Every structure is written in C-alpha cells, then in structure tokens.
mmCIF file of all heavy atoms in Angstrom:
data_model
loop_
_atom_site.group_PDB
_atom_site.id
_atom_site.type_symbol
_atom_site.label_atom_id
_atom_site.label_comp_id
_atom_site.label_asym_id
_atom_site.label_seq_id
_atom_site.Cartn_x
_atom_site.Cartn_y
_atom_site.Cartn_z
ATOM 1 N N VAL A 70 -83.379 -131.171 62.346
ATOM 2 C CA VAL A 70 -82.965 -129.868 62.853
ATOM 3 C C VAL A 70 -82.094 -129.167 61.824
ATOM 4 O O VAL A 70 -82.266 -127.970 61.538
ATOM 5 C CB VAL A 70 -82.216 -130.008 64.197
ATOM 6 C CG1 VAL A 70 -81.521 -128.700 64.566
ATOM 7 C CG2 VAL A 70 -83.192 -130.397 65.295
ATOM 8 N N ARG A 71 -81.153 -129.907 61.255
ATOM 9 C CA ARG A 71 -80.273 -129.329 60.223
ATOM 10 C C ARG A 71 -81.084 -128.858 59.023
ATOM 11 O O ARG A 71 -80.875 -127.759 58.500
ATOM 12 C CB ARG A 71 -79.240 -130.383 59.789
ATOM 13 C CG ARG A 71 -78.415 -129.960 58.569
ATOM 14 C CD ARG A 71 -77.565 -128.733 58.865
ATOM 15 N NE ARG A 71 -76.798 -128.339 57.709
ATOM 16 C CZ ARG A 71 -77.215 -127.462 56.798
ATOM 17 N NH1 ARG A 71 -78.420 -126.910 56.918
ATOM 18 N NH2 ARG A 71 -76.456 -127.131 55.775
ATOM 19 N N GLU A 72 -82.025 -129.654 58.573
ATOM 20 C CA GLU A 72 -82.830 -129.309 57.410
ATOM 21 C C GLU A 72 -83.717 -128.093 57.682
ATOM 22 O O GLU A 72 -83.836 -127.191 56.846
ATOM 23 C CB GLU A 72 -83.685 -130.502 57.008
ATOM 24 C CG GLU A 72 -82.862 -131.657 56.476
ATOM 25 C CD GLU A 72 -83.712 -132.881 56.186
ATOM 26 O OE1 GLU A 72 -84.870 -132.923 56.667
ATOM 27 O OE2 GLU A 72 -83.228 -133.768 55.490
ATOM 28 N N GLU A 73 -84.312 -128.066 58.864
ATOM 29 C CA GLU A 73 -85.220 -126.970 59.156
ATOM 30 C C GLU A 73 -84.474 -125.656 59.368
ATOM 31 O O GLU A 73 -85.002 -124.582 59.076
ATOM 32 C CB GLU A 73 -86.092 -127.322 60.356
ATOM 33 C CG GLU A 73 -87.040 -128.473 60.050
ATOM 34 C CD GLU A 73 -88.198 -128.565 61.025
ATOM 35 O OE1 GLU A 73 -88.210 -127.795 62.017
ATOM 36 O OE2 GLU A 73 -89.088 -129.394 60.786
ATOM 37 N N MET A 74 -83.250 -125.728 59.852
ATOM 38 C CA MET A 74 -82.441 -124.508 59.949
ATOM 39 C C MET A 74 -82.170 -123.955 58.558
ATOM 40 O O MET A 74 -82.239 -122.741 58.334
ATOM 41 C CB MET A 74 -81.131 -124.802 60.683
ATOM 42 C CG MET A 74 -81.305 -125.103 62.165
ATOM 43 S SD MET A 74 -79.759 -125.524 63.004
ATOM 44 C CE MET A 74 -78.930 -123.938 62.990
ATOM 45 N N PHE A 75 -81.864 -124.845 57.613
ATOM 46 C CA PHE A 75 -81.644 -124.405 56.232
ATOM 47 C C PHE A 75 -82.919 -123.818 55.638
ATOM 48 O O PHE A 75 -82.905 -122.758 55.011
ATOM 49 C CB PHE A 75 -81.172 -125.584 55.380
ATOM 50 C CG PHE A 75 -81.303 -125.320 53.902
ATOM 51 C CD1 PHE A 75 -80.410 -124.491 53.246
ATOM 52 C CD2 PHE A 75 -82.344 -125.899 53.171
ATOM 53 C CE1 PHE A 75 -80.549 -124.238 51.888
ATOM 54 C CE2 PHE A 75 -82.479 -125.648 51.825
ATOM 55 C CZ PHE A 75 -81.582 -124.810 51.178
ATOM 56 N N LEU A 76 -84.046 -124.501 55.840
ATOM 57 C CA LEU A 76 -85.307 -124.039 55.260
ATOM 58 C C LEU A 76 -85.752 -122.703 55.847
ATOM 59 O O LEU A 76 -86.277 -121.849 55.132
ATOM 60 C CB LEU A 76 -86.391 -125.095 55.483
ATOM 61 C CG LEU A 76 -86.191 -126.421 54.734
ATOM 62 C CD1 LEU A 76 -87.279 -127.411 55.115
ATOM 63 C CD2 LEU A 76 -86.176 -126.192 53.231
ATOM 64 N N GLU A 77 -85.536 -122.515 57.139
ATOM 65 C CA GLU A 77 -85.900 -121.231 57.744
ATOM 66 C C GLU A 77 -85.053 -120.106 57.180
ATOM 67 O O GLU A 77 -85.553 -119.015 56.893
ATOM 68 C CB GLU A 77 -85.745 -121.305 59.257
ATOM 69 C CG GLU A 77 -86.190 -120.021 59.943
ATOM 70 C CD GLU A 77 -86.042 -120.079 61.451
ATOM 71 O OE1 GLU A 77 -85.335 -120.980 61.942
ATOM 72 O OE2 GLU A 77 -86.628 -119.226 62.133
ATOM 73 N N ALA A 78 -83.753 -120.368 57.009
ATOM 74 C CA ALA A 78 -82.878 -119.349 56.440
ATOM 75 C C ALA A 78 -83.238 -119.058 54.988
ATOM 76 O O ALA A 78 -83.120 -117.921 54.523
ATOM 77 C CB ALA A 78 -81.421 -119.802 56.544
ATOM 78 N N ARG A 79 -83.691 -120.085 54.269
ATOM 79 C CA ARG A 79 -84.002 -119.931 52.845
ATOM 80 C C ARG A 79 -85.365 -119.287 52.616
ATOM 81 O O ARG A 79 -85.525 -118.429 51.756
ATOM 82 C CB ARG A 79 -83.958 -121.317 52.164
ATOM 83 C CG ARG A 79 -84.372 -121.309 50.684
ATOM 84 C CD ARG A 79 -83.368 -120.563 49.843
ATOM 85 N NE ARG A 79 -83.711 -120.637 48.436
ATOM 86 C CZ ARG A 79 -84.606 -119.832 47.844
ATOM 87 N NH1 ARG A 79 -85.238 -118.902 48.564
ATOM 88 N NH2 ARG A 79 -84.860 -119.952 46.555
ATOM 89 N N PHE A 80 -86.382 -119.683 53.408
ATOM 90 C CA PHE A 80 -87.750 -119.240 53.128
ATOM 91 C C PHE A 80 -88.345 -118.334 54.204
ATOM 92 O O PHE A 80 -89.447 -117.824 54.028
ATOM 93 C CB PHE A 80 -88.655 -120.457 52.932
ATOM 94 C CG PHE A 80 -88.267 -121.303 51.761
ATOM 95 C CD1 PHE A 80 -87.605 -122.511 51.947
ATOM 96 C CD2 PHE A 80 -88.543 -120.895 50.464
ATOM 97 C CE1 PHE A 80 -87.232 -123.298 50.868
ATOM 98 C CE2 PHE A 80 -88.178 -121.668 49.381
ATOM 99 C CZ PHE A 80 -87.515 -122.878 49.575
ATOM 100 N N GLY A 81 -87.657 -118.150 55.319
ATOM 101 C CA GLY A 81 -88.059 -117.177 56.322
ATOM 102 C C GLY A 81 -89.465 -117.362 56.864
ATOM 103 O O GLY A 81 -89.826 -118.432 57.366
ATOM 104 N N ASP A 82 -90.284 -116.332 56.759
ATOM 105 C CA ASP A 82 -91.627 -116.346 57.334
ATOM 106 C C ASP A 82 -92.513 -117.426 56.716
ATOM 107 O O ASP A 82 -93.390 -117.965 57.394
ATOM 108 C CB ASP A 82 -92.293 -114.984 57.167
ATOM 109 C CG ASP A 82 -91.679 -113.924 58.076
ATOM 110 O OD1 ASP A 82 -91.047 -114.309 59.076
ATOM 111 O OD2 ASP A 82 -91.833 -112.715 57.769
ATOM 112 N N SER A 83 -92.305 -117.731 55.455
ATOM 113 C CA SER A 83 -93.103 -118.784 54.812
ATOM 114 C C SER A 83 -92.866 -120.123 55.499
ATOM 115 O O SER A 83 -93.809 -120.873 55.768
ATOM 116 C CB SER A 83 -92.747 -118.888 53.327
ATOM 117 O OG SER A 83 -93.095 -117.717 52.633
ATOM 118 N N PHE A 84 -91.601 -120.409 55.800
ATOM 119 C CA PHE A 84 -91.309 -121.648 56.507
ATOM 120 C C PHE A 84 -91.868 -121.622 57.919
ATOM 121 O O PHE A 84 -92.464 -122.595 58.381
ATOM 122 C CB PHE A 84 -89.801 -121.892 56.567
ATOM 123 C CG PHE A 84 -89.432 -122.974 57.542
ATOM 124 C CD1 PHE A 84 -89.568 -124.303 57.201
ATOM 125 C CD2 PHE A 84 -88.993 -122.659 58.827
ATOM 126 C CE1 PHE A 84 -89.258 -125.319 58.104
ATOM 127 C CE2 PHE A 84 -88.682 -123.657 59.731
ATOM 128 C CZ PHE A 84 -88.824 -124.979 59.366
ATOM 129 N N ARG A 85 -91.681 -120.508 58.635
ATOM 130 C CA ARG A 85 -92.152 -120.430 60.017
ATOM 131 C C ARG A 85 -93.665 -120.589 60.100
ATOM 132 O O ARG A 85 -94.181 -121.250 61.007
ATOM 133 C CB ARG A 85 -91.690 -119.122 60.659
ATOM 134 C CG ARG A 85 -90.198 -119.109 61.012
ATOM 135 C CD ARG A 85 -89.840 -117.881 61.816
ATOM 136 N NE ARG A 85 -89.778 -116.697 60.972
ATOM 137 C CZ ARG A 85 -88.673 -116.272 60.370
ATOM 138 N NH1 ARG A 85 -87.539 -116.967 60.487
ATOM 139 N NH2 ARG A 85 -88.686 -115.179 59.629
ATOM 140 N N SER A 86 -94.379 -119.997 59.162
ATOM 141 C CA SER A 86 -95.834 -120.139 59.148
ATOM 142 C C SER A 86 -96.242 -121.579 58.898
ATOM 143 O O SER A 86 -97.132 -122.116 59.571
ATOM 144 C CB SER A 86 -96.430 -119.223 58.066
ATOM 145 O OG SER A 86 -97.828 -119.403 57.958
ATOM 146 N N TRP A 87 -95.568 -122.229 57.950
ATOM 147 C CA TRP A 87 -95.857 -123.640 57.640
ATOM 148 C C TRP A 87 -95.508 -124.539 58.832
ATOM 149 O O TRP A 87 -96.277 -125.435 59.192
ATOM 150 C CB TRP A 87 -95.063 -124.033 56.407
ATOM 151 C CG TRP A 87 -95.080 -125.480 56.064
ATOM 152 C CD1 TRP A 87 -96.143 -126.217 55.619
ATOM 153 C CD2 TRP A 87 -93.975 -126.384 56.135
ATOM 154 N NE1 TRP A 87 -95.773 -127.513 55.395
ATOM 155 C CE2 TRP A 87 -94.444 -127.646 55.706
ATOM 156 C CE3 TRP A 87 -92.645 -126.249 56.502
ATOM 157 C CZ2 TRP A 87 -93.615 -128.763 55.643
ATOM 158 C CZ3 TRP A 87 -91.818 -127.358 56.432
ATOM 159 C CH2 TRP A 87 -92.314 -128.598 56.017
ATOM 160 N N ALA A 88 -94.375 -124.289 59.462
ATOM 161 C CA ALA A 88 -93.935 -125.121 60.585
ATOM 162 C C ALA A 88 -94.852 -124.963 61.794
ATOM 163 O O ALA A 88 -95.022 -125.907 62.567
ATOM 164 C CB ALA A 88 -92.494 -124.769 60.969
ATOM 165 N N ARG A 89 -95.430 -123.787 61.983
ATOM 166 C CA ARG A 89 -96.359 -123.598 63.088
ATOM 167 C C ARG A 89 -97.648 -124.389 62.892
ATOM 168 O O ARG A 89 -98.260 -124.844 63.863
ATOM 169 C CB ARG A 89 -96.697 -122.108 63.259
ATOM 170 C CG ARG A 89 -95.640 -121.294 63.977
ATOM 171 C CD ARG A 89 -96.180 -119.944 64.400
ATOM 172 N NE ARG A 89 -96.595 -119.136 63.247
ATOM 173 C CZ ARG A 89 -95.798 -118.285 62.629
ATOM 174 N NH1 ARG A 89 -94.553 -118.121 63.039
ATOM 175 N NH2 ARG A 89 -96.232 -117.590 61.606
ATOM 176 N N GLU A 90 -98.051 -124.557 61.657
ATOM 177 C CA GLU A 90 -99.340 -125.190 61.368
ATOM 178 C C GLU A 90 -99.240 -126.697 61.154
ATOM 179 O O GLU A 90 -100.186 -127.436 61.423
ATOM 180 C CB GLU A 90 -99.968 -124.542 60.120
ATOM 181 C CG GLU A 90 -100.251 -123.059 60.257
ATOM 182 C CD GLU A 90 -101.283 -122.772 61.324
ATOM 183 O OE1 GLU A 90 -102.174 -123.626 61.528
ATOM 184 O OE2 GLU A 90 -101.203 -121.707 61.963
ATOM 185 N N VAL A 91 -98.101 -127.162 60.658
ATOM 186 C CA VAL A 91 -97.957 -128.571 60.277
ATOM 187 C C VAL A 91 -97.071 -129.289 61.293
ATOM 188 O O VAL A 91 -95.935 -128.864 61.533
ATOM 189 C CB VAL A 91 -97.353 -128.701 58.858
ATOM 190 C CG1 VAL A 91 -97.177 -130.165 58.481
ATOM 191 C CG2 VAL A 91 -98.231 -127.983 57.841
ATOM 192 N N PRO A 92 -97.558 -130.374 61.903
ATOM 193 C CA PRO A 92 -96.745 -131.110 62.890
ATOM 194 C C PRO A 92 -95.557 -131.794 62.232
ATOM 195 O O PRO A 92 -95.567 -132.079 61.029
ATOM 196 C CB PRO A 92 -97.733 -132.124 63.470
ATOM 197 C CG PRO A 92 -98.776 -132.295 62.418
ATOM 198 C CD PRO A 92 -98.901 -130.963 61.731
ATOM 199 N N ALA A 93 -94.551 -132.069 63.024
ATOM 200 C CA ALA A 93 -93.323 -132.655 62.492
ATOM 201 C C ALA A 93 -93.418 -134.158 62.313
ATOM 202 O O ALA A 93 -92.837 -134.711 61.383
ATOM 203 C CB ALA A 93 -92.145 -132.320 63.409
ATOM 204 N N LEU A 94 -94.130 -134.845 63.198
ATOM 205 C CA LEU A 94 -94.090 -136.306 63.192
ATOM 206 C C LEU A 94 -95.457 -136.966 63.092
ATOM 207 O O LEU A 94 -95.633 -137.910 62.326
ATOM 208 C CB LEU A 94 -93.382 -136.800 64.454
ATOM 209 C CG LEU A 94 -93.206 -138.314 64.583
ATOM 210 C CD1 LEU A 94 -92.355 -138.841 63.432
ATOM 211 C CD2 LEU A 94 -92.559 -138.658 65.918
#
C-alpha cells in the first residue's frame, strides 16, 4: 500500500492504467 501510494503520486495515470490491468498477487 505504501509503495503503490508513492507510485501513483509519481506516475499518475500510467500507474493507474498498469494497476488496473496487472493483478497484485
């Protein structure tokens, strides 16, 4: 959660698009 909050703040829509398509576990 901590890492993904940082990545979303850093990469914005690019991260959100990747996170929607790629499962976490």
Side-chain angles (χ1 to χ4, degrees):
V70 167
R71 171 64 180 91
E72 292 175 345
E73 294 198 354
M74 291 177 70
F75 164 76
L76 293 176
E77 183 180 15
R79 176 67 176 83
F80 297 104
D82 289 339
S83 295
F84 167 79
R85 286 188 284 269
S86 176
W87 171 68
R89 281 194 298 268
E90 299 296 329
V91 179
L94 182 61

